[in-house]
Amino acid sequence: MPAVVGLRDATEQLTGNEHVILDGTSGILIVDPTPSQIKTYRERRAIEALEDQELQALSVADSVTLDGHWVTLRANVDLPEEAGFAARSGAEGVGLMRTKFLVVGRATMPDEEEQYRAYRHVVEAFGGRPVVIRTFDVGGDKLPIGSYPTDPNPFLGWRAIRMCLDEPELFKTQLRALLRAAMHGDVRIMFPLIITLDEVLQAKHLLNEAARELDARGVPYRHDVPLGVMVETPAAALSVHTLVDDVSFLSIGTNDLVQYTLAVDRGSANLASRFTPLHPAVLTLIKRIVDVGAAHRLEVAVCGEMASQPLMAFALIGLGVRCLSVAGRAVPLVKRIVRGVSAAVAAEAANAALESRTAREAEGELRRRLMTAFGDAPFLRDGLPSFVEGNIFEGSGGLNTSSAHE
Ligand code: PEP
Ligand code: MG
């Protein structure tokens, strides 16, 4: 289903009797389109259907650059039911399973058994391939059941790992379910919103307690589950060298990293144009994380929405990222980028982007080189299609399936 969000007062202005075209790729709603616009969109829909077929054929192709660098593509899974689709899209595992669906909007907390079944479902959909499951990233504006304090600024508030460490029983219930689900495949546990090593050590301590509780009950579980952290704050990015000895992998959450680095609320429609992942500060932080990870032979993935967009995926490959976790729908699209570029050219483009003074300049550097590789392919086009004019509402749409615009 195409979707566009952030259309401001569109629903107030429209009566419901207009004809509209909803363009989820460009993020626009065209009101009472002209016959020529309708014709153009019909043609475009036919071209996209053909493109989709071509892309689906890529699901079994290798994810390797022209100069032989492998880029692992995994999928982001928000609900267990999405696992089958993600697996069929050619994803080599799950790079981020968000678990808040278990908590948000419910009247009771899920018990260990319910969680175990949900995790096991996803793990089994992916056979023996890696499934990175993130512990609860709730709190702040998404509190679980109970009378918990609310913060005036939820994004800087009591949430994610902070809440889990303060609510050890809630956290250990999840950890026990994860340790048990890990018996069925390659589960990896990931902690969100880490800003200091202390949090990692406390989380590991609680994981050990959870394991002992399973021992006491005689319940089987996996003992060597790899642990990783999300690097999604400037604090974690700048001090990532302090974390590397105690984790098995890093995953960069660019949705939050951009928000916290630029002080731009990721959910604000008013600020959408200021949410610029190619800002020099963001690129510099990503480069630093990748370099520190490489020096310690740690896998560094990117699981924010940035990785799902062709131009940005190109930038990330150039920055040295070799694992991208993207929306299931975007797996073939990103694979096409991987297979169509050389890592050397991507590195040159990323260096030029890093030296740029603004996000716009960086985008120009990347786009120029990517267009050399792909020509004027429709999926690389920027901004509004030239044939769009007249009565439109602009928002954001496309492949963005995350909570970025919830
Ligand atoms: C991120 O912050 O980039 C991320 C992947 O996590 P979420 O979008 O769930 O905050
Ligand atoms: Mg995040």
Side-chain angles (χ1 to χ4, degrees):
M1 297 286 289
V4 178
V5 296
L7 290 171
R8 297 167 197 272
D9 59 350
T11 47
E12 281 160 31
Q13 291 201 29
L14 298 179
T15 62
N17 293 318
E18 299 86 353
H19 284 114
V20 297
I21 293 177
L22 186 76
D23 177 351
T25 307
S26 303
I28 51 174
L29 183 80
I30 306 175
V31 184
D32 289 328
T34 62
S36 106
Q37 285 176 331
I38 295 174
K39 181 167 171 283
T40 310
Y41 265 98
R42 289 211 168 115
E43 284 163 10
R44 200 166 126 183
R45 191 164 57 186
I47 293 170
E48 282 182 6
L50 277 178
E51 280 217 321
D52 267 356
Q53 280 175 15
E54 273 173 40
L55 283 176
Q56 288 318 315
L58 281 184
S59 65
V60 290
D62 289 340
S63 178
V64 61
T65 62
L66 294 175
D67 51 351
H69 291 262
W70 288 82
V71 178
T72 305
L73 293 183
R74 296 188 187 137
N76 291 349
V77 169
D78 288 359
L79 299 169
E81 300 83 62
E82 294 169 10
F85 172 76
R88 287 191 299 281
S89 71
E92 300 162 60
V94 175
L96 167 65
M97 180 180 173
R98 294 182 170 99
T99 56
K100 65 181 169 204
F101 73 92
L102 284 160
V103 175
V104 174
R106 294 184 35 152
T108 55
M109 279 301 287
D111 63 12
E112 182 185 314
E113 206 53 38
E114 180 184 345
Q115 293 190 51
Y116 163 70
R117 280 197 305 272
Y119 305 145
R120 180 176 171 176
H121 175 83
V122 177
V123 173
E124 289 182 336
F126 277 87
R129 288 168 289 175
V131 175
V132 177
I133 304 182
R134 179 173 74 184
T135 57
F136 290 134
D137 187 0
V138 291
D141 59 337
K142 300 210 172 28
L143 284 171
I145 306 86
S147 47
Y148 292 100
T150 47
D151 290 302
N153 187 344
F155 278 119
L156 299 182
W158 190 67
R159 54 172 283 221
I161 196 70
R162 304 165 183 186
M163 190 198 83
C164 284
L165 294 177
D166 291 351
E167 294 287 327
E169 291 313 317
L170 178 153
F171 193 30
K172 282 193 292 176
T173 302
Q174 181 175 39
L175 295 172
R176 287 193 303 271
L178 288 169
L179 289 174
R180 289 174 56 196
M183 293 291 285
H184 306 280
D186 183 357
V187 169
R188 305 174 185 186
I189 298 178
M190 178 158 80
F191 302 124
L193 206 72
I194 292 294
I195 59 157
T196 162
L197 175 65
D198 301 326
E199 291 161 341
V200 179
L201 298 179
Q202 282 178 51
K204 281 178 140 182
H205 176 75
L206 289 172
L207 185 72
N208 287 339
E209 274 187 19
R212 281 201 301 275
E213 287 163 9
L214 290 174
D215 280 333
R217 279 164 40 197
V219 176
Y221 65 92
R222 190 155 141 218
H223 289 72
D224 57 348
V225 178
L227 300 180
V229 291
M230 288 199 70
V231 183
E232 50 185 347
T233 60
L238 291 169
S239 61
V240 68
H241 57 285
T242 64
L243 305 173
V244 286
D245 290 336
D246 288 274
V247 299
S248 304
F249 63 92
L250 305 168
S251 190
I252 307 176
T254 48
N255 305 338
D256 277 320
L257 186 62
V258 174
Q259 148 165 280
Y260 293 127
T261 304
L262 305 183
V264 170
D265 184 337
R266 60 191 264 184
S268 164
N270 293 331
L271 298 178
S273 65
R274 292 186 167 86
F275 189 90
T276 48
L278 296 176
H279 186 289
V282 177
L283 295 182
T284 305
L285 289 176
I286 294 175
K287 175 91 174 93
R288 179 179 162 74
I289 302 161
V290 172
D291 289 349
V292 172
H296 289 80
R297 296 181 188 286
L298 280 191
E299 176 183 278
V300 178
V302 173
C303 63
E305 288 307 310
M306 189 180 172
S308 296
Q309 296 163 16
L311 190 80
M312 312 256 186
F314 178 55
L316 293 169
I317 295 165
L319 290 169
V321 177
R322 292 291 175 266
C323 182
L324 300 172
S325 188
V326 303
R329 168 94 171 76
V331 172
L333 189 61
V334 176
K335 194 183 277 185
R336 176 152 71 181
I337 296 295
V338 172
R339 291 169 57 84
V341 302
S342 80
V345 169
E348 185 197 304
N351 281 337
L354 273 168
E355 282 166 17
S356 298
R357 294 165 304 169
T358 66
R360 191 182 293 271
E361 263 180 46
E363 184 176 337
E365 295 290 351
L366 292 159
R367 188 172 294 283
R368 191 160 55 76
R369 291 173 177 84
L370 196 54
M371 285 178 92
T372 309
F374 285 96
D376 185 23
F379 69 95
L380 293 180
R381 282 195 202 130
D382 186 24
L384 291 185
S386 54
F387 51 85
V388 170
E389 53 188 17
N391 195 5
I392 65 164
F393 289 93
E394 280 187 65
S396 356
L399 294 168
N400 194 337
T401 60
S402 85
S403 51
H405 297 281
E406 253 170 5

